[in-house]
Amino acid sequence: MGLRSLWKRGAARLRQPLKDGVDLLGSDQACFPPPRQLGLNLAPAAPAWSLQRLITIVEQLIEQPTAELMLEARYGRHCLSRLWLEAPVDQLPELWHGPIGALQRQLIASPLRQQPLSRDERRWRHRLLEAISASEPAADRWNHLLALLAYLESNQLPEAVSADALPSWLAELGDWCLSGRQEPRGLLSPSPEEYKPEPETEASLPRLIATGGQELLEQLSQESSQKRGLGLIRLLQVDPDDQEVIEELQALRLMLAQLILDVDQTSLETLYRSPIGDLYRQLVQSSLIRREPSEADQAQRDQLMQLLLEAHTGRDDALLLAVALFHPIERIEINLSTFELPAWLPGAWRELSGETPPR
């Protein structure tokens, strides 16, 4: 028998299973095709961070705060908040009573908590509050609560969180709940006045014209006013330099903008979907908005834009719609998710921008 034949016989023996039913070489695994769309969140993760580094920053901040340390602590606070959101729900007690929880309590006790929030920090806090205040508590409710703690201005939890609802491992936060403050515990308890939350300072919406909202609503609700406005927009298409038409439309723009600013948030969608809203949309798409603004127009536009981008008014919805009357909507580059908007408005904004057909 040749060497080649012996090698083949030996190789065949190596391929034999050790005993029946055992195949050391294995067999091809069945292939299960993946779904077309699994629904994974592919958003980039937050920057890498070190727990020990953040502990050092917070300790130094408590001892001697500086602007640089405060800025680093702001970023660290957000990283910690994201960690709470993504932590397994069954590991929250261990995390809360471990180094992560200790760091959270240090942050709450640090000077950072007394600093005003930036605009995006307020957006972040608003989202966490919305999740906690949902009518149907979600499984990750305590994740959101822990993510929120370092953004609260005082030791007061949202009204939606009661002391009785807190899990046992968060019992120490019972004193932060309104429901847990009915009976002061002797001299160790603050007076009832100290429990009152201080309202967040808010910038007020501007008055572009003196006419009140109710009067504007009555005037613009008239069919004759709506027909006149639409007629002026058509005349502007025919003669873009007709000064009388331009001045009338500028006055109409101020009336619509002021009405939007005066209408309460619960009625804004109704107004937007009404004949007045049709007139508004026509004006936003007209050439008037694309003309070189006068000094007065520019001052009003800048005022609205500054309030929208830098101040906290609680009415981003109204400001956003009002801004579109003074600035071409296709040139407004903003991230809608960073604003406090009702659920209907992002879709309406896409309609207004021409990204989707109007409904």
Side-chain angles (χ1 to χ4, degrees):
M1 182 180 296
L3 183 61
R4 184 170 183 145
S5 298
L6 287 172
W7 182 88
K8 286 183 177 179
R9 290 181 61 185
R13 291 193 187 98
L14 287 175
R15 288 198 295 269
Q16 296 291 329
L18 294 182
K19 60 180 181 178
D20 292 342
V22 177
D23 182 3
L24 292 183
L25 293 179
S27 58
D28 292 338
Q29 296 294 319
C31 179
F32 298 96
R36 293 185 62 185
Q37 184 70 22
L38 189 56
L40 295 177
N41 180 2
L42 302 181
W49 61 286
S50 160
L51 176 64
Q52 188 55 53
R53 171 60 182 155
L54 186 51
I55 290 174
T56 301
I57 291 171
V58 175
E59 289 175 347
Q60 292 175 350
L61 189 67
I62 293 174
E63 183 177 345
Q64 187 174 0
T66 66
E68 183 179 357
L69 282 172
M70 197 68 72
L71 185 61
E72 290 179 327
R74 284 181 186 274
Y75 281 106
R77 174 171 59 181
H78 185 63
C79 290
L80 184 60
S81 183
R82 286 178 59 111
L83 181 144
W84 286 119
L85 289 182
E86 297 172 1
V89 294
D90 59 341
Q91 293 299 307
L92 291 180
E94 286 78 4
L95 290 171
W96 176 248
H97 291 296
I100 298 288
L103 174 59
Q104 177 88 313
R105 287 183 282 275
Q106 279 187 301
L107 262 178
I108 292 172
S110 75
L112 175 63
R113 196 168 174 225
Q114 279 70 54
Q115 300 298 308
L117 299 178
S118 67
R119 182 179 182 83
D120 46 355
E121 285 176 320
R122 290 197 300 268
R123 298 281 179 252
W124 182 254
R125 182 181 64 183
H126 177 74
R127 292 184 188 179
L128 297 174
L129 283 168
E130 278 194 329
I132 292 170
S133 303
S135 56
E136 295 294 332
D140 58 357
R141 189 185 192 195
W142 306 126
N143 294 72
H144 282 85
L145 180 63
L146 293 172
L148 172 70
L149 287 182
Y151 287 95
L152 296 175
E153 296 177 345
S154 60
N155 291 2
Q156 177 164 328
L157 297 181
E159 292 184 12
V161 181
S162 65
D164 295 337
L166 288 172
S168 59
W169 54 273
L170 278 180
E172 63 194 272
L173 296 180
D175 290 340
W176 290 34
C177 300
L178 290 173
S179 59
R181 299 175 181 170
Q182 304 304 321
E183 298 180 3
R185 295 178 297 170
L187 297 177
L188 297 179
S189 297
S191 62
E193 289 76 14
E194 294 182 32
Y195 288 127
K196 296 178 181 178
E198 295 184 4
E200 186 174 12
T201 303
E202 293 190 353
S204 57
L205 294 178
R207 288 221 67 81
L208 305 177
I209 56 177
T211 312
Q214 186 59 39
E215 185 178 346
L216 288 170
L217 182 61
E218 293 173 358
Q219 184 174 345
L220 292 172
S221 295
Q222 296 175 10
E223 188 177 356
S224 58
S225 297
Q226 295 164 14
K227 286 184 176 179
R228 176 63 179 168
L230 294 173
L232 289 169
I233 293 173
R234 286 193 291 270
L235 287 173
L236 187 65
Q237 291 176 331
V238 175
D239 186 358
D241 297 319
D242 189 321
Q243 196 59 37
E244 290 186 7
V245 171
I246 292 172
E247 289 176 0
E248 276 199 67
L249 285 176
Q250 287 173 333
L252 175 62
R253 168 167 60 188
L254 287 173
M255 293 171 65
L256 285 168
Q258 190 61 65
L259 177 59
I260 288 170
L261 295 173
D262 285 347
V263 168
D264 63 77
Q265 192 172 51
T266 57
S267 303
L268 188 56
E269 182 180 10
T270 302
L271 179 70
Y272 181 81
R273 302 297 181 191
S274 73
I276 297 177
D278 293 337
L279 179 59
Y280 164 83
R281 288 189 289 276
Q282 292 280 347
L283 189 56
V284 166
Q285 299 294 343
S286 74
S287 61
L288 177 74
I289 314 304
R290 288 148 188 82
R291 294 181 63 86
E292 189 69 25
S294 65
E295 289 187 8
D297 291 337
Q298 186 166 347
Q300 289 157 345
R301 181 193 66 187
D302 292 348
Q303 182 184 19
L304 293 169
M305 286 291 285
Q306 184 175 10
L307 285 171
L308 177 65
L309 298 176
E310 299 178 9
H312 179 64
T313 64
R315 290 305 311 275
D316 288 347
D317 52 347
L319 285 168
L320 188 61
L321 292 179
V323 162
L325 284 165
F326 292 86
H327 195 69
I329 193 168
E330 66 272 10
R331 299 181 196 167
I332 301 176
E333 298 181 2
I334 55 175
N335 182 357
L336 291 179
S337 65
T338 63
F339 292 85
E340 297 171 13
L341 301 176
W344 65 271
L345 209 153
W349 185 259
R350 288 190 290 271
E351 294 171 6
L352 201 59
S353 305
E355 296 178 22
T356 59
R359 291 177 290 175

